[in-house]
Amino acid sequence: MFSYRHAFHAGNHADVLKHAVLIATLQYLTQKDAALTVLDTHAGAGLYRLDGDYASKSGEASEGVLKLAATPTEELAPILQEYLALVRSFNQGSTIRNYPGSPFISQALLRSHDKLKLFELHPTDMRSLAGNVTQLDAGRQLAVLHEDGFEGVKKFLPPVSRRALLLCDPSYEIKTDYGRVLDMVTDSLKRFPTGTYAVWYPIIPRPEAHDLPRRLKTMAVKAGKSWLHVTLTVKSNKTSERGGLPASGMFIISPPFQLKELLKPAMPQLVKLLGQDGNATFSLESGG
């Protein structure tokens, strides 16, 4: 159950998509004065070294954030410029050695009166996360919880502030994660219907992976909520047999109204810059 370590994959194409969407969503949600609570169900270590043993072994960042960073900034869509600017803020000089995971990205964008709840069950990543967040000096704004995020979020919904973003990005290392995501989102919508719910998932040759976005869409429609679904494919499944994830997606319930417009110019650029074969493509749809 605990074999997955995100350090091997930090800064890959899936992180680029997930974190660009996360940044745009947080920037929108923090425009209102009222406090925001962010729930991160699978926080990981929080901060990663791209020149460390894990990331260097996989080399996935070289096909993700590092390839994007080699492109002149002014040529990139605004959402990708914002993404790179935030990543660079954790580094000195032009070389990107440190890569912020979702906990550090969220904390960088939140205001002093916002709250950030980080869940991590992996014992090694939990120790790394606890150690990494001490350097943030976030005080009571941030809480690190060594528990199952699928269940742990329940006690924070609805939030006191009545505004929340829930980010769910498990490893899906065990296929029951797909069902647990659906159960958690169903329960969360009942507890707090006006929240924003963002789910990342890998697109792999597994029925559960293809079923997940369809069922999330059905759930959103039945609840009368707006939704957005974006996917990025960088190579074919056959190519991926040599290793590495071929594609991933983000499904957001009650997304920022301008998110689709921000993604429209960005997704073709990601296909062009991060695509690894002729099968690279993207999809972007919304409703509600």
Side-chain angles (χ1 to χ4, degrees), residues 14 32 38 44 50 84 94 157 168-169 177 191 238 252 264:
K32 289 186 178 181
V38 176
L50 296 185
L84 280 179
S94 58
L157 293 173
C168 182
D169 61 336
D177 277 355
R191 291 172 184 269
K238 292 181 181 179
I252 305 100
K264 279 182 178 179

Side-chain angles (χ1 to χ4, degrees), residues 18-79:
K18 174 172 60 181
H19 292 150
V21 169
L22 175 62
I23 290 167
T25 301
L26 282 170
Q27 287 176 333
Y28 172 79
L29 292 174
T30 52
Q31 288 177 11
K32 289 186 178 181
D33 292 337
L36 175 71
T37 296
V38 176
L39 305 172
D40 193 332
T41 64
H42 295 75
L47 188 67
Y48 305 91
R49 290 285 300 196
L50 296 185
D51 56 356
D53 292 341
Y54 295 123
S56 297
K57 184 175 181 179
S58 71
E60 290 184 23
S62 64
E63 297 288 344
V65 63
L66 299 181
K67 182 171 283 189
L68 193 67
T71 305
T73 304
E74 64 274 9
E75 296 180 9
L76 296 174
I79 193 174

